[in-house]
Each structure stands twice: as structure tokens, then as C-alpha cells.
Amino acid sequence: MTDPLLEIEDLNVYYGKSHALKGVSLSIDEGEIYGVIGPNGAGKTTMLNAIAGFVDYDGSIRYDGTDLATVSPQEIVREGLIYCTEDRDLFPYFSVHENLLMGAQFRNDRDAVQADLDMVYDLFPRLDERREQEAETMSGGEQQMLAVGRALMSDPDMLMLDEPTLGLAPVIIQDISDALERLSDQGLTILLAEQNSTFALRHAERLSLIETGEIELAGTSEEFHGNEYVREAYVGVH
Ligand code: ATP
């Protein structure tokens, strides 16, 4: 058995007196899609922020053998762990093409960067058609594609996606779905935080359900599909 790529043990986050994450533990294997589902305010974003080094925490987060508490957020990115936030954080007045190049700003393997650009445009033809369009004038779905595309330009080993389907039309969600499957087939490890449980259950091999900062249930997607509480409370809502 190989070690997990990401290993979280007894993660606790406090915002002042509020205990936002309460002893969360989980591990993610290389090459898998791992889903974290749960309602609004459950702590999903807080978990991703802790992994990315954006919030202080107690407990341990190890990525590919590195204790992430000992490295800066920039170093975490250089280690290949890339975070696509819910806000997308695009450069609004930059074109699609410029935003994509910003994702590759720390790389000096020029041929590989060009190959990744071709890969992203192939993955999202809508971006290819809009190379010169300013990011802020793109639709929500196109901006989500651009955020994922820019993350891919950093040459990630693992991608963390926070609510990639939020507010998107079904036809765009399908495009994101297809892209995730292709990336997963290429061996990318993906941590998918979603309120849209149906979407997460469709893609993730294993999942955790977080409610009020605690993991209430963890298991395979088959186990989640078969769980009456999950079905009643979460599936079919979207
Ligand atoms: P959503 O899907 O709405 O983003 P979530 O599961 O990602 O929900 P979090 O955003 O992690 O949940 O929030 C978990 C809890 O922590 C919530 O009660 C939230 O109000 C609180 N919280 C998040 N960020 C902060 C902050 N910077 N300061 C204080 N409280 C915060």
C-alpha cells in the first residue's frame, strides 16, 4: 500500500470562539477524486483554506510527505497542490489567454507550458473561442472554466475545487463534469468540495459528509448512495 497523497489528522479551526472544524481526519490517495459534501456553513471552505495555508489550525496536514504547517502558501503551490477558490480569483481586466498564462508564472518549462495551454483549450473549447475576451465579461460558467484552466496551467498534482458548479446552468455543469473525468483519467488527484451532492456523488470515489464542522459520515460513493440519511437529506435536492 502506498501512502496517501494528502493526510489530514485531527484538524481543528477556530474563528475567535467559534469552533469551525472539529477534529476532522481524512486521507486522499493519489489519482482519486475525493468529495466533501455538506450544507452551507458546514466548514468545507474552511477545510480547503486550512490545507492551502490561508487559516491557522491545530492538527496535522501532510501532503506528499511534507508537513504543510512548515511551508508557506506559495511553497504549497510549488509542491503542486493548487486551489481553485469559490470566488475564482480571476484577473478581471486580463484576457482569457493572459489569465491562463498567469497560472504558469512560476514555471520555466516553456515547451510544457505551451503543451498545457493546448490541453486547456482542447479541454474547454469555449475558452479557445474567447482567447482575447476580458475575464470579467465572461459568463459565470466560462469564468469557472477559466479558473480551472488557470489552475491546470500551474501543472498541479492535486487540485482542490470549491463549489465548481455553484450557480451554473446544467449544460455548463456537464462541461465541467466532462473536464473532471478527463483530468481524472490523466491521473490528477482532485478534492471536490460541493453542496451539490448529486454532482459530487457522480464523480467522487470516496466522500466525507461534513455538518457543523464535523465529519458525520465517510465512505465510498456506493455506501453514500445506499445511505438513507444521505439520500433523504442531500440527494435529489439539486
Ligand atoms: P459554504 O458552502 O456556504 O461556503 P462551507 O461549508 O464552505 O459553506 P465555511 O465557509 O467553511 O463553510 O464556514 C464554516 C463556518 O465558519 C461558518 O459558520 C462560517 O460563518 C464561519 N466562518 C468562515 N470564515 C470565517 C471567518 N473568516 N471569520 C469568522 N467565521 C468564519
Side-chain angles (χ1 to χ4, degrees), residues 15 20 39-47 86 162-163 195:
Y15 296 113
N40 217 293
K44 304 180 296 298
T45 302
T46 298
M47 189 177 112
E86 194 175 342
D162 195 7
E163 310 266 7
Q195 267 187 66

Side-chain angles (χ1 to χ4, degrees), residues 130-144:
R130 292 170 169 74
R131 286 182 189 221
E132 302 311 323
Q133 191 172 327
E134 275 184 12
E136 72 157 0
T137 65
M138 310 265 285
S139 73
E142 290 160 359
Q143 290 190 18
Q144 185 61 55

